[in-house]
Amino acid sequence: GCVMLQKYGLGVAKGIPTLLLACSSLDDVLAITIFGIFLSLSFSNAGDGGLFGDSIWAAIGLSVVDVLGRILLGLGLGHILKFHPEKPVLAFCLTLIASV
């Protein structure tokens, strides 16, 4: 599909094949994130009066905070790598740290 468009030079000047690949990756990330949220909600201990109370809303709030934190982490690492693109070891180390 998109790689063949790039091979033939169709839409490359406007970046259409790259945009399509990025959007399909974003769709995968969104699906995995939503699946993770529902998985954590289904196995949460929301009814036992634990650390964050007995509310399902507390579990949902923690999931939202988790997603926002990961977005901020990604933006921060991207900002750091934007100013140091010549250091692939730095990029590897930051990616490794962020994946833990």
Side-chain angles (χ1 to χ4, degrees):
C2 292
V3 177
M4 192 180 310
L5 289 175
Q6 285 181 331
K7 180 180 174 184
Y8 293 126
L10 299 173
V12 174
K14 293 183 180 181
I16 294 172
T18 306
L19 180 66
L20 289 175
L21 286 172
C23 288
S24 67
S25 297
L26 187 62
D27 179 47
D28 292 341
V29 168
L30 182 65
I32 291 169
T33 301
I34 291 173
F35 175 76
I37 289 171
F38 283 118
L39 189 66
S40 68
L41 288 176
S42 65
F43 289 109
S44 71
N45 296 328
D48 67 356
L51 180 63
F52 294 104
D54 59 353
S55 171
I56 192 77
W57 295 108
I60 292 172
L62 286 174
S63 297
V64 170
V65 168
D66 182 47
V67 169
L68 292 176
R70 291 174 190 266
I71 290 172
L72 289 175
L73 178 67
L75 290 173
L77 292 177
H79 188 69
I80 290 171
L81 294 176
K82 177 182 175 183
F83 295 109
H84 300 289
E86 70 281 351
K87 298 181 181 177
V89 174
L90 176 68
F92 175 75
C93 290
L94 289 177
T95 304
L96 187 64
I97 290 169
S99 67
V100 173

